[in-house]
């Protein structure tokens, strides 16, 4: 599902949204919400739930085909659970975009202030995130300074894999600082492999760069690797993926640009 506080632009060949009905059933919230403009030159399917694009202009709804068209793009709800006009469908229930944004920023700052109890090192070509002594219910924090990353090296030591195995009922949060302008962990064709398990309990908290006074500045970060594992919290970062890199987790970002693949 996609929730966009500003504008959504879809280009390329085709697109699909909310393709897993088991996760996106009928509810009071849309699976596609665009608060600003919707621009598209592709055929896009909304496969579950419903769409709400109340401020999109230049689009025409065809109730027989269950499609929005704008001359160059199509938003089809023919496979969705609720096949009604996105231009008039209600937005998310009880949402206030400003408070949602502030809440995410507050969570990100709180996580960044956690005491790091996990260690990061390179061993036998694997960038290891290790915690010892964690108990069920614990949240283990790591601090990753991206200044120590250069391509596929960490503190000057090469790695080709990223390794972590999260104990049952233990969550990892990795605070990533000084990542502005960087691609994390290489590309689809020449990047790190994630090894281990438990990535559904992993959160990357990507922080904005700061100026001399410690205030956040505009920051852009690219997610790389052969397949990026874990959810990403980056409410003050302009985020993108390296071409064709799949991100296996939820994403929260100030803006997000995705190229190729899922």
């Amino acid at each position: 599902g996609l929730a966009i506080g500003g504008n959504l632009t879809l280009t390329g060949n085709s697109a699909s949204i909310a393709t897993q009905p088991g996760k996106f059933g009928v509810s009071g919230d849309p699976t596609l919400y665009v608060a600003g403009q919707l621009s598209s030159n592709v055929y896009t399917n909304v496969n579950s739930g419903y769409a709400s694009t109340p401020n999109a202009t230049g689009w025409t709804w065809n109730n027989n085909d269950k499609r929005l068209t704008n001359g160059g793009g199509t938003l089809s709800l023919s496979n969705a659970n609720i096949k009604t006009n996105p231009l008039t469908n209600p937005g998310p229930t009880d949402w206030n975009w400003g408070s949602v944004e502030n809440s995410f920023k507050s969570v990100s700052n709180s996580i960044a202030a956690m005491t790091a109890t996990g260690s990061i090192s390179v061993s036998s070509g694997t960038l290891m995130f290790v915690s010892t002594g964690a108990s069920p219910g614990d949240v283990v924090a790591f601090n990753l300074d991206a200044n120590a990353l250069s391509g596929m090296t960490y503190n000057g030591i090469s790695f080709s894999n990223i390794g972590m195995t999260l104990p049952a009922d233990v969550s990892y949060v990795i605070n990533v600082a000084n990542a502005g302008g960087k691609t994390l962990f290489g590309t689809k064709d020449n990047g790190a492999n994630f090894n281990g398990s438990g990535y559904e309990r992993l959160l990357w908290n990507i922080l904005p760069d700061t100026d001399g006074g410690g205030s956040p500045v505009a920051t852009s970060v690219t997610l790389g690797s052969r397949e990026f594992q874990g959810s990403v919290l980056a409410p003050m970062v302009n985020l993108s993926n390296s071409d064709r890199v799949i991100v296996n987790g939820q994403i929260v970002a100030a803006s997000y640009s995705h190229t190729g693949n899922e």
Side-chain angles (χ1 to χ4, degrees):
L2 296 176
I4 312 295
N7 302 323
L8 172 63
T9 301
L10 299 166
T11 62
N13 296 312
S14 63
S16 295
I17 297 169
T19 59
Q20 299 185 47
K23 295 183 178 180
F24 299 109
V26 178
S27 74
D29 291 330
T31 48
L32 171 64
Y33 174 65
V34 182
Q37 287 297 322
L38 173 64
S39 302
S40 174
N41 63 2
V42 302
Y43 190 98
T44 302
N45 277 306
V46 178
N47 289 279
S48 302
Y50 73 96
S52 173
T53 60
N55 298 308
T57 57
W59 292 81
T60 301
W61 174 248
N62 184 314
N63 195 57
N64 291 325
D65 294 335
K66 309 302 180 186
R67 293 175 179 173
L68 273 183
T69 56
N70 69 350
T74 298
L75 185 69
S76 173
L77 280 83
S78 59
N79 295 322
N81 303 132
I82 304 174
K83 306 176 183 68
T84 52
N85 186 353
L87 300 174
T88 58
N89 280 339
T93 304
D94 299 326
W95 275 30
N96 179 296
W97 199 269
S99 63
V100 169
E101 181 179 1
N102 288 334
S103 176
F104 280 129
K105 289 179 179 179
S106 177
V107 171
S108 179
N109 288 330
S110 295
I111 293 173
M114 292 177 63
T115 299
T117 56
S119 63
I120 307 172
S121 62
V122 177
S123 176
S124 301
T126 298
L127 182 64
M128 300 292 298
F129 294 79
V130 177
S131 169
T132 57
S135 302
D138 284 353
V139 178
V140 180
F142 299 80
N143 288 339
L144 175 61
D145 185 347
N147 282 333
L149 291 171
S150 179
M152 298 292 290
T153 67
Y154 178 72
N155 286 330
I157 305 174
S158 298
F159 65 91
S160 57
N161 301 296
I162 297 172
M164 61 184 91
T165 299
L166 281 67
D169 300 322
V170 172
S171 298
Y172 281 10
V173 293
I174 301 173
N175 294 307
V176 184
N178 301 312
K182 292 181 179 291
T183 297
L184 300 178
F185 310 132
T187 64
K188 179 72 173 178
D189 299 318
N190 187 26
N193 293 301
F194 277 77
N195 298 326
S197 60
Y199 289 114
E200 68 277 6
R201 300 187 301 279
L202 170 63
L203 177 68
W204 299 86
N205 184 36
I206 302 180
L207 305 168
D209 291 352
T210 58
D211 60 18
S215 298
V217 297
T219 305
S220 297
V221 178
T222 302
L223 302 177
S225 77
R226 296 185 181 273
E227 190 168 312
F228 195 92
Q229 299 287 346
S231 290
V232 180
L233 179 63
M236 294 168 279
V237 171
N238 299 314
L239 199 66
S240 63
N241 75 315
S242 183
D243 183 34
R244 294 176 291 116
V245 170
I246 296 172
V247 183
N248 280 320
Q250 296 181 343
I251 297 172
V252 170
S255 70
Y256 184 65
S257 176
H258 190 88
T259 305
N261 221 315
E262 181 180 333

